[in-house]
Amino acid sequence: MEWMAVIGNSIQYIEAHITEPLTIETIARAVNVSPFYFQKGFALLCGFTVSEYIRNRRLALAGNDLAATDEKVIDIALKYDYDSPDSFTKAFTRFHGVTPTAARRDGVLLKSFAPLKIRFSLEGGYLMDYKIVSKDAFTVLANAAVFPYEGAKARVPAFWQQHYAEGKGKTVMGTYGVNIDESMGQETFEYLIADPCDPGCEAPDGFVVRTIPAFTWAVFPCKGALPVALQDVNTRIFTEWLPAMKDYEFAAGYCVEYYDNPTKYAKGTMDENYYSEVWIPVRKK
């Protein structure tokens, strides 16, 4: 239940400070976890990023304020941490479908976005396979891109599609998908579509060579059609494995997805027996 409690406490903190400047770093500090893993865990468990949650809550509350009070639009914008009426108007209109001025008209429909409530239920009782493996550093040839955490769930699959559409799959088949955030920060991460290569290999134009450091990894096997099977394993790492595992903790800002050769399966990556893995660097507590 450890991670569920962290998320619950973070939501309480956000609600208590919703009209104050909020950053992932300050929220993570308040609930005693690293910003990197707080952000990842929140997105996996809640279905949207911390920033998306805060923005939606603020815009919903701003709609209430406009409908129920005579406060000026500029005052409401500043109250919910918008720098200008223009940026507030754009965000408000995207969220509610009407401008802040129109929101004060009788009969206008506004969107609500209630605070998240964490409810515990008795689930599980089934096995989640994993193994702890020490691996030496290894080198990869990769197509690399930097993504913001917000919206990454859609951007990364699009990056894979673009990779093959541009013919880059002839150079890098895509044995690994590697998420790198060495600073374990809160804004962006580097993502690699990668194949193993010799340490001295030279990267063709449009590709890079990266070395993945030696780590002790928790390796989670995954069987089933992508991307659903892999997303399910990632979610279960946070909801089941982490709360139950008292001996290990995350060690660094890396995550590796290993993909078996899809030509071995009748339906490729969509085959119900397709095999992949998630690697998480860990260390003893």
Side-chain angles (χ1 to χ4, degrees):
M1 293 296 185
E2 180 181 342
W3 259 100
M4 301 298 281
V6 165
I7 299 302
N9 291 339
S10 72
I11 291 166
Q12 291 180 13
Y13 182 86
I14 290 168
E15 293 301 318
H17 299 83
I18 196 68
T19 59
E20 302 170 20
L22 284 169
T23 67
I24 291 168
E25 188 173 38
T26 57
I27 301 167
R29 189 186 305 121
V31 294
N32 298 312
V33 294
S34 80
F36 177 78
Y37 289 113
F38 167 63
Q39 180 163 254
K40 191 174 180 70
F42 190 100
L44 285 170
L45 289 170
C46 301
F48 33 71
T49 67
V50 182
S51 297
E52 288 171 331
Y53 177 76
I54 294 170
R55 182 174 62 248
N56 290 345
R57 282 293 295 140
R58 283 174 169 169
L59 290 170
L61 291 169
N64 291 338
D65 289 354
L66 283 165
T69 74
D70 294 325
E71 288 184 77
K72 294 179 180 178
V73 172
I74 180 61
D75 292 335
I76 293 175
L78 293 172
K79 177 181 179 180
Y80 293 108
D81 205 34
Y82 283 87
D83 295 333
S84 69
D86 185 53
S87 62
F88 173 68
T89 296
K90 289 179 180 177
F92 188 94
T93 304
R94 282 196 300 269
F95 182 78
H96 288 284
V98 296
T99 65
T101 302
R104 285 193 154 135
R105 298 173 187 162
D106 289 342
V108 171
L109 293 175
L110 298 175
K111 290 185 172 66
S112 64
F113 188 84
L116 285 170
K117 292 184 178 180
I118 302 300
R119 296 182 179 179
F120 299 114
S121 60
L122 291 175
E123 297 178 348
Y126 43 82
L127 298 175
M128 184 175 187
D129 294 332
Y130 74 95
K131 57 185 176 182
I132 303 297
V133 180
S134 294
K135 293 181 178 289
D136 294 334
F138 61 98
T139 305
V140 295
L141 175 65
N143 183 9
V146 175
F147 296 104
Y149 279 103
E150 188 165 332
K153 191 173 182 179
R155 288 188 176 100
V156 170
F159 180 48
W160 278 89
Q161 292 175 2
Q162 180 185 7
H163 175 81
Y164 293 116
E166 294 177 349
K168 292 185 176 180
K170 296 176 182 178
T171 303
V172 171
M173 184 180 70
T175 305
Y176 302 114
V178 186
N179 182 321
I180 302 175
D181 183 358
E182 291 183 337
S183 66
M184 296 177 73
Q186 60 196 45
E187 299 295 335
T188 63
F189 63 95
E190 183 178 41
Y191 188 85
L192 311 178
I193 299 174
D195 283 345
C197 71
D198 295 330
C201 72
E202 294 186 6
D205 289 344
F207 295 87
V208 300
V209 173
R210 293 280 188 272
T211 298
I212 310 303
F215 284 119
T216 297
W217 302 86
V219 176
F220 300 87
C222 175
K223 184 179 178 181
L226 299 183
V228 175
L230 206 60
Q231 291 170 350
D232 178 61
V233 167
N234 270 299
T235 300
R236 291 176 63 192
I237 289 171
F238 277 84
T239 59
E240 298 169 27
W241 188 78
L242 266 177
M245 181 54 61
K246 304 303 182 183
D247 296 330
Y248 290 95
E249 62 184 0
F250 285 115
Y254 284 79
C255 178
V256 175
E257 297 162 354
Y258 164 77
Y259 300 100
D260 198 8
N261 186 344
T263 62
K264 293 163 55 176
Y265 302 86
K267 299 178 183 178
T269 61
M270 297 301 295
D271 197 279
E272 61 272 16
N273 292 311
Y274 182 75
Y275 183 79
S276 56
E277 294 175 345
V278 178
W279 305 357
I280 301 292
V282 295
R283 63 188 170 211
K284 285 276 190 177
K285 289 183 178 179

